Amino acid sequence: MSLRGYVCVVTGAGGFLGQRMVRLLLEEEKLAEIRLVDKRVQPQLREQRNYDQNKTKVSVFEGDIRDGDFLRKACRGASVVFHIASLIDVIGAVDYSELYGVNVKGTQLLLEACIQENVVSFIYTSSIEVAGPNPNGDPIINGTEDTVYTCSLKFPYSRTKQEAERRTLQAHGEVLQNGGRLATCALRPMYIYGEGCRFLLGHMADGIRNKDVLYRTSAQEARVNPVYVGNVALAHLQAARSLGDPQKRSDIGGNFYYIADDTPPVSYSDFNHVVMAPLGFRIQEKPMLPLRLFYLLCFLLEILRVMLRPFVRIVPPINRQLLTMLNTPFSFSYRKAQRELGYAPRYTWEEARRRTIEWLASQLPKERERIRA
């Protein structure tokens, strides 16, 4: 089903996935309007008409996602909301109140705005981290939406994303002001990579400082299945098309879907090497410390952080929860999204890797210059 004539709202439109989503919508659909919602929208995004062959109206809404009146204005007359905006933090750099305010309260306010403004479809960008891994590091290999897994989430980020996902799915079927019904679903992408990925840039910068040797924080056997940003955007579009289909709407609504592609399973550290080796980077054969000693060091840093909290705030670059995530085999299948949403990865692993390497190559001189300065 096409979204022809729809008014679509994209929150987090200035971010990594948000920009790709906007571009895909302008390239693929004959929309009446697309609304770019973010705290700040970069000047180049205001010129998105350059991508658009169908002269879709592009509107910019700059504001705070915790502002209900602002969200109602952004949603007025819209048909579909792609809720991509969130705060991401796995090292404890952001206060929990800030994470909760943006990730949970912002989502709740946006759902309420959709109900008040009669938006019929809501697609929430969740995260693989709402599934785990648990503190024990119990593995999942090629898991599905039906995989049973006992998990007590430790990351504040994971907990807020899980709560926002729960509220989104719970809102499926809510009665709109005009008597219609809201349909919602959530997508759980694996670790997203591709052009614009700030995490890859961060690892590259660390490698430059370490004489072009990438740090190893993951054991080789701790395989995960990253997913290319272009395929994640496509999954969102397919979800919107499916929710717009009266025959599929009731079956899909209220469900979550894992989103992956055919990127080969590999550890987080080895994935960094796969996309940076062509640029001349090597990787440590083993972590700097044995894993158990690494955990102990993280524990001591956490104690130090608590002791110093009344006087100074320190944020260690790694903690026990992050170390567990980096060293737990945790991979999932996208077959349910394929069956029910009609999702099929558009970009092969070879093309996704090539595009990512080309982008990293374009950033490398800037990173070297920045670090030298």
Side-chain angles (χ1 to χ4, degrees):
M1 178 173 172
S2 168
L3 303 185
R4 184 186 182 96
Y6 279 35
V7 174
C8 292
V9 174
V10 179
T11 72
F16 171 40
L17 175 58
Q19 290 189 49
R20 194 61 176 253
M21 189 73 236
V22 170
R23 190 165 132 194
L24 179 66
L25 286 169
L26 291 173
E27 290 172 343
E28 296 270 324
E29 294 287 351
K30 295 182 179 180
L31 302 174
E33 182 183 2
I34 183 166
R35 297 176 181 172
L36 316 184
V37 177
D38 215 323
K39 195 167 186 179
R40 180 179 176 275
V41 177
Q42 301 92 324
Q44 64 269 25
L45 274 181
R46 299 173 186 270
E47 301 303 322
Q48 286 287 350
R49 291 179 185 85
N50 294 338
Y51 292 112
D52 182 26
Q53 304 302 315
N54 304 307
K55 305 304 178 187
T56 298
K57 180 181 178 182
V58 178
S59 304
V60 174
F61 288 77
E62 289 185 330
D64 194 323
I65 199 167
R66 294 165 290 190
D67 181 342
D69 291 336
F70 163 71
L71 294 177
R72 284 195 63 173
K73 188 184 301 183
C75 291
R76 194 158 295 148
S79 313
V80 179
V81 166
F82 296 95
H83 182 30
I84 297 173
S86 72
L87 278 178
I88 301 174
D89 174 43
V90 293
I91 60 172
V94 181
D95 286 336
Y96 181 76
S97 60
E98 186 80 0
L99 282 170
Y100 187 90
V102 172
N103 294 350
V104 179
K105 183 181 178 183
T107 300
Q108 183 63 45
L109 288 172
L110 187 58
L111 286 165
E112 291 171 4
C114 288
I115 292 169
Q116 292 160 353
E117 299 300 332
N118 303 309
V119 178
V120 294
S121 297
F122 187 101
I123 295 92
Y124 176 67
T125 309
S126 189
S127 168
I128 182 59
E129 291 180 42
V130 307
N134 61 25
N136 296 329
D138 295 326
I140 292 180
I141 299 172
N142 204 32
T144 71
E145 288 77 359
D146 296 322
T147 299
V148 177
Y149 188 74
T150 303
C151 183
S152 174
L153 297 173
K154 296 295 185 181
F155 282 136
Y157 166 70
S158 304
R159 294 202 304 271
T160 59
K161 290 294 286 185
Q162 184 185 60
E163 176 63 15
E165 180 190 277
R166 185 187 68 79
R167 294 189 186 200
T168 296
L169 300 183
Q170 214 170 41
H172 175 66
E174 286 284 339
V175 180
L176 306 177
Q177 285 290 325
N178 64 3
R181 298 273 180 174
L182 176 66
T184 69
C185 71
L187 306 184
R188 294 182 181 178
M190 308 298 109
Y191 167 69
I192 307 174
Y193 70 92
E195 309 94 303
C197 177
R198 63 185 176 92
F199 295 111
L200 284 177
L201 275 185
H203 293 305
M204 186 167 72
D206 289 340
I208 292 170
R209 296 186 187 97
N210 195 36
K211 299 179 180 179
D212 290 354
V213 178
L214 300 170
Y215 291 105
R216 177 175 291 283
T217 53
S218 305
Q220 290 183 343
E221 60 271 19
R223 294 185 178 89
V224 295
N225 52 335
V227 59
Y228 179 62
V229 62
N231 289 327
V232 178
L234 181 63
H236 282 71
L237 179 55
Q238 286 300 120
R241 288 169 171 168
S242 296
L243 283 180
D245 184 338
Q247 294 183 336
K248 294 183 178 180
R249 189 176 175 87
S250 59
D251 294 330
I252 292 165
N255 291 325
F256 71 86
Y257 297 87
Y258 289 115
I259 305 301
D261 56 20
D262 299 318
T263 301
V266 65
S267 78
Y268 285 105
S269 294
D270 288 299
F271 179 79
N272 295 335
H273 187 229
V274 166
V275 295
M276 295 185 207
L279 307 180
F281 286 88
R282 294 172 289 121
I283 188 171
Q284 295 172 339
E285 289 188 15
K286 297 180 180 180
M288 291 179 291
L289 297 171
L291 198 54
R292 289 190 178 184
L293 191 56
F294 217 154
Y295 274 107
L296 177 60
L297 176 61
C298 289
F299 176 63
L300 295 175
L301 286 173
E302 289 168 28
I303 292 176
L304 180 64
R305 178 183 181 182
V306 172
M307 291 175 61
L308 294 178
R309 185 175 294 164
F311 313 103
V312 64
R313 179 170 184 171
I314 62 170
V315 182
I318 196 165
N319 51 53
R320 286 178 295 166
Q321 290 76 37
L322 180 55
L323 198 58
T324 298
M325 184 182 80
L326 295 174
N327 286 279
T328 300
F330 215 64
S331 61
F332 289 82
S333 166
Y334 63 84
R335 300 306 173 193
K336 183 177 180 181
Q338 189 175 48
R339 290 193 310 270
E340 298 187 7
L341 303 181
Y343 162 70
R346 174 173 295 173
Y347 299 93
T348 64
W349 159 237
E350 291 74 17
E351 185 174 0
R353 180 173 180 264
R354 176 184 61 77
R355 287 169 174 255
T356 303
I357 291 170
E358 288 176 355
W359 173 73
L360 287 170
S362 74
Q363 300 300 307
L364 183 56
K366 304 174 193 174
E367 286 298 303
R368 291 197 187 280
E369 183 63 31
R370 182 181 67 81
I371 290 167
R372 276 199 298 267

